[in-house]
Amino acid sequence: MHSEKEKPTCPFCDGKNVELYSSFGTAQLVRQYYCQNCKTVFESIRWSGNASPVKTQGIQTVGVVGSGTMGSGIAQTFLQSGLSVTLYDIEDEILERNSRNIITNIEKMKVKGKITPEQAESANRNLKVSAKLTDLSCLDLIIEAVPEIKSLKIELFKKLDAVSDPETVLATNTSSFSVTEFAANLNHPQRMIGIHFFNPAPLMPLIEIVKSQLTDQTTIDRTRDLFLQIKKRPVICKDTPGFIVNRIARSFYNESLRIVDEGLATHEKVDRIMKKAGGFKMGPFELQDLIGIDINYNTTQSLFDNFQNESRFKPHYLQKEMILANRLGRKTGKGFYKYE
């Protein structure tokens, strides 16, 4: 038994008033300490095989701005969990192509037994698409997944602030920019939060919930409860450059690039070693191709800028050359590897 002094903090919200909890239905969560609030959320979840979880009372309708790889993955994540999703992009043709990909991926999940036929049918029914921002006006949550360009995101949130209900949670999927800076441009900054997914979003359980200097506790609670309800693993963190994972990951990518550049090993060998010996599901070069070499480079550049040009975050010129050659990874058919 832990003494009060020895008790750990809650792994989801850093709360200190924790107690032992052992009835959440996955092996990873058996007999751990959680705060009372997270424990209450766990007790509201009822799983039966692959059945859909009970929806959170706070957030049931979601808008996703940007239908690219990450935006489509985020939309699919919510759809598979029984929520209604409106997917926005600037052109109908883009929306048609990417929404079709989402439906195809959901069908594959059904065939593999990852979701039930009922879940797949519900997901198909609950997906809406639109090229009008005003169609997002009455949703509980709107999350952006547009390119990692600060000015683009700031302008987008100004528009979303104007068209959405003041109670709507506005979220950014940024991997490196300041959430506080985005919030400061809003009329209702308390509802702004960071929700950082990892690629591929439907499969990766970790979610970084980033609280800005202006985010209120209600927004934090609603967001955390949503992801606990859909069986993700939210971690609340401060608004610092790169947050937690991307700050750590810069060394993973940068050192791998240096090893290849110095001729110590090929990118294929580095990936193979990291998977075979390190236990990683994907090597650093496979991951760069999946994420997008341009996105990875821009994230590193952002950390380099925000940490006053610390050498450990300096982007590698090899990535820059690949961007100039339009070898961006899977999305262009060629990166460190070739794709059909």
Side-chain angles (χ1 to χ4, degrees):
M1 178 68 69
H2 284 272
S3 68
E4 287 299 320
K5 190 174 182 180
E6 295 173 329
K7 275 187 179 181
T9 59
C10 176
F12 292 109
C13 69
D14 293 333
K16 297 185 182 302
N17 185 22
V18 295
E19 58 185 88
L20 191 63
Y21 181 64
S22 59
S23 60
F24 186 55
T26 65
Q28 294 93 332
L29 290 179
V30 170
R31 296 193 61 78
Q32 291 193 23
Y33 281 83
Y34 300 94
C35 73
Q36 181 61 45
N37 190 57
C38 289
K39 178 176 182 291
T40 300
V41 175
F42 291 150
E43 289 175 337
S44 73
I45 301 173
R46 295 293 181 267
W47 287 87
S48 177
N50 287 324
S52 299
V54 178
K55 291 183 183 179
T56 174
Q57 294 182 357
I59 294 175
Q60 298 186 28
T61 57
V62 179
V64 180
V65 179
S67 65
T69 301
M70 181 56 77
S72 293
I74 292 171
Q76 181 183 333
T77 299
F78 288 125
L79 288 166
Q80 289 175 187
S81 300
L83 279 73
S84 295
V85 175
T86 301
L87 183 64
Y88 168 90
D89 216 311
I90 57 176
E91 294 182 11
D92 290 329
E93 183 180 348
I94 295 173
L95 276 169
E96 182 180 353
R97 180 177 66 249
N98 292 336
S99 61
R100 189 165 56 244
N101 290 338
I102 292 172
I103 298 303
T104 298
N105 289 336
I106 288 172
E107 182 65 23
K108 289 178 181 178
M109 295 285 284
K110 183 185 76 173
V111 171
K112 292 179 180 178
K114 301 293 184 180
I115 60 174
T116 65
E118 292 76 18
Q119 284 177 291
E121 182 181 349
S122 172
N124 292 339
R125 186 173 60 250
N126 287 335
L127 175 61
K128 304 177 182 65
V129 298
S130 177
K132 298 179 181 178
L133 278 180
T134 51
D135 287 341
L136 307 179
S137 60
C138 297
L139 303 178
D140 298 322
L141 165 68
I142 303 173
I143 179 168
E144 66 81 14
V146 301
E148 196 76 343
I149 302 170
K150 184 189 294 186
S151 59
L152 176 63
K153 292 177 186 284
I154 289 175
E155 188 60 30
L156 171 63
F157 279 118
K158 287 180 180 178
K159 293 178 180 178
L160 291 173
D161 193 38
V163 302
S164 62
D165 187 280
E167 298 300 315
T168 298
V169 175
L170 296 183
T172 173
N173 184 55
T174 185
S175 57
S176 58
F177 292 138
S178 169
V179 180
T180 300
E181 184 174 357
F182 294 155
N185 287 278
L186 306 182
N187 291 319
H188 305 283
Q190 73 282 354
R191 61 179 174 145
M192 182 78 212
I193 200 164
I195 301 177
H196 185 214
F197 285 80
F198 297 88
N199 208 355
L203 301 179
M204 299 294 282
L206 178 65
I207 304 289
E208 287 181 320
I209 296 178
V210 186
K211 54 182 180 180
S212 79
Q213 295 292 328
L214 302 169
T215 308
D216 65 15
Q217 191 59 46
T218 298
T219 300
I220 296 170
D221 291 344
R222 291 179 71 194
T223 305
R224 179 204 55 213
D225 291 356
L226 167 66
F227 288 109
L228 290 175
Q229 290 280 13
I230 67 173
K231 212 177 181 184
K232 291 291 188 180
R233 299 292 178 82
V235 174
I236 298 174
C237 57
K238 294 180 180 179
D239 187 15
T240 58
F243 317 130
I244 299 172
V245 175
N246 265 307
R247 185 168 170 179
I248 294 171
R250 290 317 98 193
S251 295
F252 182 62
Y253 297 121
N254 281 347
E255 283 304 316
S256 299
L257 287 160
R258 292 187 185 104
I259 286 169
V260 170
D261 186 47
E262 293 169 10
L264 299 178
T266 64
H267 65 271
E268 295 95 340
K269 182 178 287 187
V270 171
D271 280 349
R272 186 166 63 251
I273 289 171
M274 294 305 294
K275 289 189 292 184
K276 296 294 185 181
F280 289 81
K281 290 188 176 181
M282 298 182 74
F285 296 97
E286 291 173 313
L287 270 173
Q288 288 178 70
D289 276 1
L290 177 65
I291 294 167
I293 293 167
D294 54 336
I295 294 172
N296 193 289
Y297 177 87
N298 290 337
T299 299
T300 306
Q301 183 67 58
S302 178
L303 265 70
F304 184 60
D305 294 341
N306 282 293
F307 279 102
Q308 287 76 50
N309 297 351
E310 285 191 28
S311 59
R312 59 187 170 135
F313 295 120
K314 185 177 180 179
H316 199 279
Y317 78 91
L318 179 57
Q319 282 185 318
K320 183 67 173 180
E321 288 186 342
M322 295 184 73
I323 293 170
L324 293 173
N326 199 38
R327 294 175 56 181
L328 307 182
R330 289 179 179 270
K331 59 187 175 183
T332 58
K334 190 174 183 180
F336 289 102
Y337 299 91
K338 292 182 179 180
Y339 305 91
E340 295 183 358

